[in-house]
């Protein structure tokens, strides 16, 4: 390996690394604004100047300079320091003096570097230039006079998000970042633009002027807005969640975060259930916990077990599902289901039959991808970003069976329904040949293919296309619900003779229906007595006869298992609102009224029981995936049967309104309204 000297210290480095990367290997911190580890190199800001020998006797931009063997790099000489101070002086010529009112204050790269390389005055007396603000939608606020034209935002939008909505126009003093036609940034990852902006030109519009970063208490947690399980940090002030930011997790979300996960948090303060309710005379009236428990217990005791059903919602943590399983198993109830969309995924075919087996990070190793009944751009934007990342590297055939949509990368459209899956094996198309020859093919099956009457047959067809063996299993199921894999791991599915979620909500399907935050299922036909345990006054609570207020995901510790099968811990950032309680404690208290007391009185005891019965929940942050040695058999996945001619359709009709928290969010409502009008006829300039 080549060796370079950094300030006299020898460092081994890999060929192809830049001088900046080599210097950081040696522990030297290089200031930068335009350089970002996950974006292409622009070399705009010139803040990363260093001195290099052999080479010309002048400072050079280390981010764009390839490192060479026997090279000497100096990062702290007087020439380097003077050059960086000069660059900083130029950058601040037009920058407004508005740090006291800037939302980036306290988290600003420009502030930090100015402390090290800034002057206490300026030698330029010319008037500062002003730049018009740009409309980037309801999520991004602009103060473009602060912009230093680092082009991070342009490169992120083009390379990572895959939308060419931003660009740099003009030259010299007239250079500016623009959206060209005053159009909102059409990406589900647009919030990351504010994260990567180093100067406060782009900030988070929904949070503008609401907080200072040093006022906030920070809690590391896990996102539940989809099944990806992104690593997040929840920042709170007092009883309110002020913002959610991404944490770095290379295996899942890298350092990005989807917009819904980031901005739906204002829904945590609206339409909340903060006290029990009991329906009397057709109206829900406030009640005490004792009255609510008595109403539920009386109804459950008077109902036969085969007429009782339990449905877990998309945001349920493993703890409350475990408590519900234990409680209703003691009552003899067999009709429990965590698949409120009617998915055919089932633990009877083995865990690999419903996991994202290649892992999200494993997408980068794929040499062919086939997507069946899924639109990852709306169902899992960060998975879509991984696919695009792999596509950018080249030589990646991608095929889609299902809806045609803009996925931000080109693909071969192979058909709309299940018949196209069966036909692929006999096809002589370019994609079929490339997929058959691939060593690490990936098949991604979405909920749109499984949540159908023929879902089990579709599952078998898809499994038949996947290659398994050795260290690679390319069969992947992309779920949309954060609770789905955890529920399947627990066996939260109907027992022998039990009914599915869709059967329970049919007319005459059940006499008592217990909903654990289940709001995405049609309850209009059921005549059952409905008990709703949840955090928001959404569809389930409107239909309920008894409402037991639960905690949102930021208000309780919980275990969530993402689509890869990776168990992760969500932590409590704030306490539940009003009289609301953590969901498992509600079930524990209810068990006393039913005379079948659950055997745990604390979260630690419950988790111990959970791990004892299901050891996979104890393997925190471990995704089985293709890291498991040995071969996988996909022969028994799914069931034989007739497939319908109905085209596959994504279950996500509106990305911004998929759960009770998002539907309570004003920000998400604004995004949804804007998205609904985005398909208007183009203007003449377009």
């Amino acid at each position: 390996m080549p060796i370079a000297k950094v300030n006299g210290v020898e460092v081994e480095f890999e060929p192809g690394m830049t001088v900046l990367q080599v210097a950081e290997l040696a522990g030297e911190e290089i200031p930068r604004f335009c350089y970002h580890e996950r974006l292409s190199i622009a070399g705009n800001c010139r803040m990363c100047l260093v001195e290099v020998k052999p080479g010309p006797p002048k400072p050079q931009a280390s981010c764009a300079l390839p490192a060479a063997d026997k090279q000497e790099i100096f990062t702290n000489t007087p020439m380097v320091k003077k050059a960086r101070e000069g660059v900083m002086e130029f950058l601040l010529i037009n920058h407004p003096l508005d740090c006291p009112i800037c939302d980036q204050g306290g988290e600003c790269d420009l502030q930090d570097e100015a402390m090290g390389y800034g002057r206490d005055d300026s030698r330029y007396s010319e008037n500062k230039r002003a730049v018009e603000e740009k409309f980037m939608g309801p999520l991004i606020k602009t103060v473009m006079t602060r912009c230093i034209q680092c082009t991070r935002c342009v490169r992120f939008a083009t390379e990572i998000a895959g939308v060419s909505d931003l660009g740099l126009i003009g030259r010299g003093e007239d250079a500016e970042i623009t959206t060209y036609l005053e159009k909102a940034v059409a990406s589900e990852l647009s919030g990351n633009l504010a994260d990567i902006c180093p100067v406060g030109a782009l900030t988070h519009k929904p949070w503008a002027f609401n907080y200072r970063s040093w006022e906030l208490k920070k809690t590391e947690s896990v996102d539940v807005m989809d099944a990806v399980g992104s690593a997040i940090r929840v920042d709170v002030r007092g009883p309110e969640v002020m913002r959610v930011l991404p944490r770095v997790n290379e295996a899942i979300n890298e350092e990005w975060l989807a917009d819904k996960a980031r901005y739906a948090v204002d829904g945590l303060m609206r339409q909340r259930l903060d006290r029990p309710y009991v329906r009397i005379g057709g109206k829900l009236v406030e009640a005490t916990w004792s009255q609510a428990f008595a109403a539920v217990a009386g109804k459950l005791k008077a109902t036969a077990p085969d007429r009782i059903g339990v449905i877990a919602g998309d945001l349920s943590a493993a703890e409350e599902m475990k408590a519900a399983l234990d409680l209703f198993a003691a009552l003899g109830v067999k009709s429990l289901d965590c698949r409120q969309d009617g998915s055919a995924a089932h633990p009877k075919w083995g865990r690999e039959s419903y996991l994202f087996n290649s892992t999200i990070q494993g997408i980068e190793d794929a040499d062919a991808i086939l997507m069946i009944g899924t639109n990852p751009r709306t169902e899992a934007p960060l998975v879509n970003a991984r696919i695009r990342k792999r596509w950018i590297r080249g030589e990646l055939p991608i095929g889609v069976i299902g809806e045609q949509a803009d996925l931000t990368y080109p693909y071969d459209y192979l058909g709309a329904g299940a018949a196209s899956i069966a036909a692929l094996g006999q096809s002589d198309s370019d994609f079929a040949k490339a997929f058959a020859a691939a060593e690490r093919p990936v098949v991604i099956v979405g909920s749109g293919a499984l949540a159908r009457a023929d879902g089990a047959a579709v599952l078998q067809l898809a499994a038949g296309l996947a290659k398994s063996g050795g260290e690679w299993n390319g069969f992947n199921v992309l779920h949309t619900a954060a609770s789905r894999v955890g529920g399947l791991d627990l066996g939260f599915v109907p027992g022998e003779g039990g009914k599915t979620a869709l059967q329970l909500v049919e007319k005459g399907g059940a006499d008592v229906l217990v909903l654990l935050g289940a709001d995405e299922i049609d309850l209009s036909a059921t005549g059952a007595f409905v008990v709703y345990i949840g955090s928001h006054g959404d569809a389930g609570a409107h239909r309920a006869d008894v409402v037991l207020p639960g905690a949102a995901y930021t208000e309780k510790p919980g275990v969530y298992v993402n689509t890869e099968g990776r168990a992760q811990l969500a932590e409590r950032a704030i306490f539940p609102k009003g009289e609301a309680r953590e969901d498992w404690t509600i079930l524990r208290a209810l068990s006393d009224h039913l005379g079948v007391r659950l055997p745990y009185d604390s979260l630690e005891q419950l988790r111990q029981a959970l791990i004892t019965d299901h050891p996979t929940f104890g393997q925190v942050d471990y995704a089985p995936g293709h890291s498991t040695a040995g071969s996988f058999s996909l022969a028994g996945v799914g069931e034989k049967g007739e497939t319908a001619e109905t085209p596959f359709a994504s279950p996500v009709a509106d990305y911004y309104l998929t759960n009770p928290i998002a539907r309570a969010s004003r920000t998400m409502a604004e995004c949804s309204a804007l998205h609904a009008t985005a398909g208007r006829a183009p203007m003449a300039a377009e």
Side-chain angles (χ1 to χ4, degrees):
M1 289 180 68
I3 297 176
K5 280 188 176 180
V6 180
N7 296 334
V9 178
E10 288 192 349
V11 179
E12 274 191 345
F13 63 93
E14 296 180 9
M17 294 182 75
T18 64
V19 168
L20 185 149
Q21 291 171 319
V22 172
E24 292 197 332
L25 281 178
E28 297 292 336
E29 185 176 344
I30 306 292
R32 84 289 297 266
F33 293 116
C34 69
Y35 176 79
H36 192 282
E37 292 82 355
R38 303 185 197 277
L39 304 176
S40 60
I41 295 171
N44 291 345
C45 71
R46 320 307 287 181
M47 194 65 204
C48 63
L49 295 173
V50 297
E51 189 177 351
V52 176
K53 294 181 181 179
K58 64 176 185 178
Q60 299 189 66
S62 61
C63 70
L65 183 65
D69 192 25
K70 298 180 181 177
Q71 195 175 49
E72 291 188 73
I73 303 166
F74 302 93
T75 67
N76 53 11
T77 62
M79 177 170 59
V80 170
K81 188 172 188 298
K82 184 177 180 181
R84 291 176 181 172
E85 288 174 350
V87 169
M88 177 60 69
E89 191 172 1
F90 275 119
L91 290 175
L92 293 176
I93 288 175
N94 290 308
H95 199 80
L97 299 175
D98 60 356
C99 292
I101 63 160
C102 178
D103 280 314
Q104 196 88 335
E107 300 173 313
C108 177
D109 293 350
L110 190 66
Q111 279 185 334
D112 296 341
E113 301 302 348
M115 290 296 293
Y117 302 100
R119 293 168 56 95
D120 60 353
D121 63 344
S122 175
R123 291 175 288 179
Y124 294 89
S125 58
E126 291 81 6
N127 291 331
K128 292 179 181 288
R129 75 167 189 164
V131 183
E132 272 189 18
E133 307 310 343
K134 306 296 185 291
F135 174 74
M136 293 191 184
L139 302 180
I140 302 298
K141 179 178 182 291
T142 67
V143 184
M144 300 311 293
T145 305
R146 299 172 186 158
C147 180
I148 60 171
Q149 290 87 45
C150 71
T151 69
R152 276 190 183 183
C153 56
V154 176
R155 284 174 284 148
F156 174 86
T158 305
E159 297 166 15
I160 309 295
V163 293
S164 300
D165 290 344
L166 295 178
L168 178 68
I169 62 171
R171 301 183 66 184
E173 190 176 6
D174 295 326
E176 60 180 288
I177 303 292
T178 180
T179 55
Y180 303 119
L181 296 171
E182 294 295 311
K183 189 182 73 169
V185 179
S187 172
E188 295 75 22
L189 301 173
S190 62
N192 297 288
L193 294 171
D195 282 354
I196 62 174
C197 180
V199 299
L202 305 179
T203 56
H204 303 281
K205 185 180 285 186
W207 309 333
F209 309 123
N210 278 348
Y211 61 82
R212 282 302 198 179
S213 60
W214 54 84
E215 300 175 332
L216 306 179
K217 176 187 173 186
K218 303 166 179 62
T219 305
E220 294 185 353
S221 191
V222 178
D223 172 51
V224 299
M225 294 291 144
D226 55 29
V228 174
S230 302
I232 61 172
R233 193 187 80 196
V234 181
D235 291 358
V236 305
R237 183 178 62 194
E240 183 176 0
V241 175
M242 302 303 295
R243 65 179 183 181
V244 165
L245 297 178
R247 290 186 290 122
V248 176
N249 188 326
E250 297 294 345
I252 302 176
N253 59 306
E254 298 181 292
E255 63 181 79
W256 314 123
L257 192 61
D259 288 346
K260 184 167 53 179
R262 187 191 298 267
Y263 294 117
V265 292
D266 64 314
L268 292 167
M269 294 295 289
R270 298 189 176 93
Q271 298 181 17
R272 291 302 304 270
L273 301 173
D274 59 358
R275 65 199 67 185
Y277 291 88
V278 175
R279 190 175 297 276
I280 299 175
K283 293 185 178 180
L284 286 172
V285 298
E286 294 181 20
T288 64
W289 277 102
S290 297
Q291 291 170 335
F293 282 141
V296 175
K299 198 68 178 179
L300 287 172
K301 288 177 180 178
T303 306
D306 62 343
R307 300 298 299 165
I308 299 173
V310 185
I311 303 175
D314 292 350
L315 307 183
S316 298
E319 286 85 351
E320 55 252 34
M321 287 192 287
K322 167 65 174 170
L325 270 175
D326 291 348
L327 173 59
F328 289 97
L331 296 176
V333 176
K334 299 291 181 64
S335 300
L336 302 98
D337 204 351
C338 65
R339 305 163 303 173
Q340 59 175 335
D341 59 355
S343 173
H346 200 288
K348 66 184 176 184
W349 297 310
R351 200 166 186 239
E352 287 84 14
S353 71
Y354 57 83
L355 293 186
F356 204 93
N357 292 291
S358 71
T359 71
I360 294 171
Q361 194 170 25
I363 290 173
E364 298 184 29
D365 298 324
D367 50 11
I369 295 178
L370 172 63
M371 291 182 271
I372 301 172
T374 182
N375 179 352
R377 184 170 176 183
T378 56
E379 295 171 27
L382 293 166
V383 171
N384 198 60
R386 285 277 188 172
I387 297 173
R388 177 176 170 79
K389 181 181 179 181
R390 171 62 188 88
W391 170 78
I392 284 176
R393 288 185 6 223
E395 298 298 324
L396 180 68
I398 302 174
V400 170
I401 298 176
E403 290 182 347
Q404 285 184 283
D406 178 9
L407 299 180
T408 72
Y409 42 81
Y411 55 82
D412 294 312
Y413 185 66
L414 307 174
S420 301
I421 306 175
L424 187 63
Q426 288 76 43
S427 174
D428 60 351
S429 66
D430 291 341
F431 175 81
K433 292 175 182 176
F435 189 81
E439 294 181 3
R440 295 180 302 279
V442 164
V443 176
I444 302 176
V445 185
S447 298
L450 300 183
R452 302 160 36 118
D454 62 349
V458 171
L459 190 63
Q460 186 174 81
L461 286 175
L465 294 175
K467 180 181 289 187
S468 63
E471 294 292 323
W472 184 258
N473 181 358
F475 179 71
N476 300 309
V477 176
L478 181 60
H479 296 283
T480 57
S483 65
R484 185 62 46 81
V485 174
L488 294 172
D489 283 347
L490 282 166
F492 205 102
V493 292
E496 187 175 351
K499 297 178 180 178
T500 65
L502 295 183
Q503 291 171 336
L504 286 170
V505 297
E506 292 174 353
K507 187 175 182 180
D511 291 338
V512 177
L513 200 54
V514 180
L515 306 179
L516 297 180
D519 294 280
E520 319 308 322
I521 192 167
D522 185 6
L523 299 168
S524 59
T526 183
F529 181 89
V530 177
V531 180
Y532 181 79
I533 303 174
S535 60
H536 281 71
D538 206 76
H542 290 168
R543 174 59 187 81
D545 295 286
V546 176
V547 173
L548 304 176
Y553 73 104
T554 55
E555 300 163 1
K556 60 185 177 185
V559 178
Y560 291 90
V561 186
N562 79 342
T563 194
E564 304 170 294
R566 186 190 304 269
Q568 300 185 100
L569 297 178
E571 299 294 342
R572 179 198 292 123
I574 53 176
F575 288 93
K577 308 299 179 193
E579 298 179 33
R581 302 180 182 179
E582 293 177 29
D583 301 55
W584 77 267
T585 64
I586 295 173
L587 293 165
R588 168 64 183 81
L590 179 60
S591 70
D592 281 339
H593 288 76
L594 291 170
V596 286
R597 181 170 185 164
L598 293 175
Y600 27 77
D601 297 321
S602 66
L603 182 65
E604 291 72 21
Q605 292 175 350
L606 172 55
R607 282 187 175 167
Q608 187 58 54
L610 176 66
I611 295 169
T612 300
D613 294 344
H614 307 278
T616 55
F617 288 94
Q619 299 172 338
V620 176
D621 205 31
Y622 169 75
H626 61 259
S627 61
T628 308
S631 63
F632 300 87
S633 174
L634 298 176
V637 174
E639 294 175 351
K640 289 184 179 179
E642 294 294 323
T643 56
E645 297 181 5
T646 311
F648 296 135
S650 172
V652 179
D654 188 334
Y655 166 73
Y656 299 103
L657 304 176
T658 57
N659 60 59
I661 298 174
R663 286 191 289 271
S665 165
R666 290 179 181 173
T667 304
M668 292 296 98
E670 193 173 348
C671 289
S672 176
L674 185 68
H675 178 75
T677 59
R680 70 188 194 288
M683 295 185 291
E686 296 180 89

